[in-house]
Amino acid sequence: MMSTRTATATAFPAPHAQSPARPKNLVRLPRLRRIAAPLLFLAAWQAAVALGLIGARLMPPPSAIAESFWHLAISNQLLPSLLVSLARVTVGLAIGVAAGTALGLVTGLSRLGEDLLDPTLQMLRTLPHLALIPLMILWFGIGEVPKIVLIALGAAFPIYLNLYAAIRGADRKLFEVAATIGLSFPETVAHLILPASLPGFLVGLRQALGVAWITLVVAEQINASAGIGYLIMNAREFLETDIIFVGLCLYAVLGLATDYAVRLLETRLLAWRPSTLGALGRRA
Amino acid sequence: MNAAPPVPAAQVIGLTRSFGGPPVLDRLSLSLRRGEFAALLGRSGTGKSTLLRTLAGLDPAPAGSVRVPAARAVVFQEPRLFPWRRVWHNIALGLRFADARSRALAALAEVGLSHRAQAWPLTLSGGEAQRAAVARALVRQPELLLLDEPFGALDALTRLRMQTLLLRLWQNHRPAVLLVTHDVDEALLLADRVLVLENGRIALDRPVTLPRPRHPAHPDHARLREHLLASLGAGQSDREQS
């Protein structure tokens, strides 16, 4: 609905309806509409608690959650927890992505690598990595190592599977072009295989991020002395429901932020795709 | 094993190719002269593309001998540009020259696509993309240019423009051209030799001596056209030609 309205408003000056010269108030109006529903929900929640429809003890109102968020922030408990959790995900993800990429490249680019590794990896991926927690604790204790290993394991497989499939799914017709214009194998990798598999890799990266956050949540709840999970577990002990909600909000914000980062990466790296071109508004 | 002049641009002797069933190409022999524009006609499934792909080095030649120059280029029915490389970069890929980029830009200018050099391929129109594909072939200065129904997917007007462009480029650079097409009119408009492939062999090999620029109204043109259509077995209902 909104797009029709903006289109008619700008139809006169130019056929490029997506041009950056679009009036500002027309951009803001749809945004306002989008956040209207969450705001209404929060207001209803607040009202329900105030009217006594919901018990404040198990379901604290948004205002109380905001308040305890503020208390935690100024008493310097929030940022350290956030950083600890972020560090776990970052390190685990980095290792997982590196491993998944290396495996995907080896199996994607060489038949030998495929025969040697792919069956084993396809078998391993069916094993839910969270089931390894008891083993991880026995092997690595209860420090940072088992958490990071678990996150890395969870993140590696989506990367591997998507990259491998993307490399193998690259357009055969373009390989014929590469042959007729005399590209060497390294050139074919650089100009054809890697760019062709980048969209698949980024899909894998997004999935890996999702898995990494879930793994973090689970791993942090088992035994932790720092991090968002620790904050939540601690709050449970003392029935501080508001702090549990603060922790949940942090997880949500972190998840959103990283997803946004990948999307930003996509628009940068996949600038050649028509969908991206449309989003950037530059049909050169 | 035709009466070929000293050094043919491409030579095929006794090429046989089958995909499990009866051979698609059956002891086929063909020689292309340097600078010659040959059109290869045939109904669909007669192995036109297989022959072209063999000459391009994309298909193996298990039986028979195929001699082709190293400098050869292919234009496929689809543009087949790398969508993640800018148009000029697509043209320059694989060129082993220090000035690959300026050569690519010159080739783009020659096909009238200078203004799209920086564009992403997926933003090109069908005709523009195919012109880029022609530029990519041209920039390699081929002695043998292989065209696999290059204008089949274009609308009539764009096809006409592309045919004119191709003719001009051929006259300027003089590669030997093998144009695979199912369009008799296209063959008669462009080629100075028409080949018809049937049952795995060259069933018809006719020089086209009509004066250029060609006019379909020319009486010899019409006669040759009828003859070719008849030899393609299109006397009945299923005339593929436009």
Side-chain angles (χ1 to χ4, degrees):
Chain A
M1 273 168 91
M2 218 44 241
S3 59
T4 17
R5 188 172 298 177
T6 47
T8 36
T10 53
F12 190 64
H16 299 274
Q18 294 292 96
S19 72
R22 199 162 51 168
K24 262 193 175 167
N25 57 340
L26 285 175
V27 179
R28 286 206 182 130
L29 200 60
R31 276 202 194 159
L32 208 68
R33 284 193 186 193
R34 277 162 187 262
I35 60 168
L39 284 177
L40 269 173
F41 174 74
L42 286 178
W45 179 357
Q46 185 81 33
V49 180
L51 292 172
L53 298 175
I54 309 174
R57 196 179 172 111
L58 292 180
M59 192 80 174
S63 62
I65 296 169
E67 201 180 314
S68 67
F69 185 94
W70 176 247
H71 278 302
L72 286 170
I74 55 171
S75 64
N76 200 24
Q77 293 181 62
L78 215 52
L79 195 63
S81 307
L82 194 81
L83 291 180
V84 166
S85 292
L86 203 58
R88 285 173 186 150
V89 166
T90 310
V91 175
L93 202 62
I95 297 171
V97 169
T101 306
L103 289 168
L105 287 177
V106 169
T107 51
L109 295 179
S110 99
R111 292 282 168 197
L112 179 69
E114 181 183 23
D115 291 343
L116 286 178
L117 292 173
D118 188 57
T120 316
L121 290 169
Q122 296 289 351
M123 219 156 58
L124 281 177
R125 89 185 166 99
T126 59
L127 184 71
H129 67 291
L130 291 177
L132 296 176
I133 286 178
L135 213 52
M136 291 287 142
I137 292 173
L138 285 177
W139 285 352
F140 304 113
I142 54 167
E144 291 301 299
V145 178
K147 299 178 181 60
I148 288 171
V149 170
L150 217 54
I151 292 170
L153 263 177
F157 282 98
I159 295 277
Y160 166 74
L161 292 170
N162 281 288
L163 183 59
Y164 168 65
I167 291 176
R168 283 298 148 107
D171 192 352
R172 304 307 314 165
K173 292 181 169 181
L174 294 184
F175 282 94
E176 292 185 354
V177 171
T180 59
I181 64 176
L183 292 191
S184 64
F185 181 67
E187 283 174 324
T188 306
V189 171
H191 294 297
L192 173 51
I193 297 176
L194 290 186
S197 59
L198 195 56
F201 172 81
L202 288 171
V203 169
L205 186 59
R206 251 201 218 186
Q207 290 176 5
L209 269 175
V211 172
W213 285 119
I214 291 174
T215 311
L216 175 81
V217 171
V218 176
E220 280 190 338
Q221 285 187 10
I222 309 294
N223 38 55
S225 52
I228 301 173
Y230 171 72
L231 206 68
I232 292 179
M233 284 299 110
N234 226 17
R236 195 194 63 185
E237 296 283 310
F238 302 104
L239 259 168
E240 294 165 324
T241 336
D242 47 344
I243 294 183
I244 294 181
F245 271 99
V246 170
L248 295 181
C249 288
L250 284 182
Y251 278 140
V253 167
L254 282 173
L256 269 177
T258 43
D259 199 60
Y260 180 75
V262 175
R263 231 180 288 176
L264 210 65
L265 209 62
E266 275 180 3
T267 51
R268 282 287 152 79
L269 294 177
L270 306 181
W272 52 270
R273 289 209 300 199
S275 57
T276 322
L277 288 167
L280 295 176
R282 66 163 128 106
R283 275 185 62 87
Chain B
M1 251 178 266
N2 298 339
V7 190
Q11 191 162 40
V12 175
I13 298 169
L15 175 63
T16 298
R17 187 85 208 281
S18 71
F19 298 100
V24 176
L25 300 177
D26 186 11
R27 288 161 288 160
L28 181 142
S29 293
L30 172 67
S31 177
L32 291 176
R33 288 179 285 277
R34 292 174 160 274
E36 168 179 66
F37 197 134
L40 180 63
L41 288 161
R43 278 169 295 183
S44 43
T46 46
K48 304 189 294 283
S49 289
T50 307
L51 175 56
L52 180 130
R53 293 171 56 83
T54 310
L55 289 170
L58 294 172
D59 276 9
S65 94
V66 175
R67 282 184 35 223
V68 284
R72 57 188 196 274
V74 190
V75 177
F76 299 95
Q77 184 171 6
E78 328 82 40
R80 299 198 186 180
L81 302 171
F82 291 7
W84 39 79
R85 294 284 182 262
R86 299 204 181 253
V87 169
W88 75 264
H89 198 175
N90 264 282
I91 315 302
L93 277 178
L95 286 184
R96 313 266 179 246
F97 303 107
D99 60 341
R101 188 190 165 123
S102 55
R103 279 172 192 249
L105 292 176
L108 279 172
E110 214 175 334
V111 301
L113 216 57
S114 292
H115 60 298
R116 305 294 269 149
Q118 288 295 334
W120 295 112
L122 292 180
T123 67
L124 299 183
S125 71
E128 285 176 331
Q130 202 58 320
R131 269 191 280 164
V134 170
R136 179 176 59 194
L138 188 72
V139 79
R140 274 144 242 285
Q141 299 175 316
E143 287 168 46
L144 177 62
L145 178 59
L146 301 161
L147 307 164
D148 192 1
E149 301 193 29
F151 314 134
L154 302 175
D155 65 273
L157 194 64
T158 313
R159 189 184 316 148
L160 212 60
R161 272 201 214 118
M162 291 295 293
Q163 287 165 346
T164 313
L165 171 72
L166 177 63
L167 207 53
R168 200 187 75 221
L169 295 174
W170 170 66
Q171 283 162 348
N172 290 346
H173 298 272
R174 284 286 163 174
V177 176
L178 183 68
L179 169 73
V180 165
T181 179
H182 59 258
D183 184 345
V184 169
D185 293 309
E186 184 170 83
L188 286 177
L189 182 70
L190 299 173
D192 43 30
R193 182 180 174 195
V194 179
L195 306 157
V196 174
L197 190 59
E198 203 176 304
N199 297 326
R201 303 227 192 152
I202 304 292
L204 186 86
D205 185 350
R206 280 279 295 261
V208 183
T209 50
L210 299 166
R212 293 179 189 272
R214 303 264 166 85
H215 288 292
H218 196 285
D220 290 345
H221 190 116
R223 209 170 302 132
L224 190 50
R225 181 176 188 275
E226 281 311 308
H227 180 62
L228 286 173
L229 284 175
S231 69
L232 285 166
Q236 310 85 7
S237 55
D238 61 340
R239 288 197 177 187
E240 280 184 278
Q241 287 69 32
S242 51

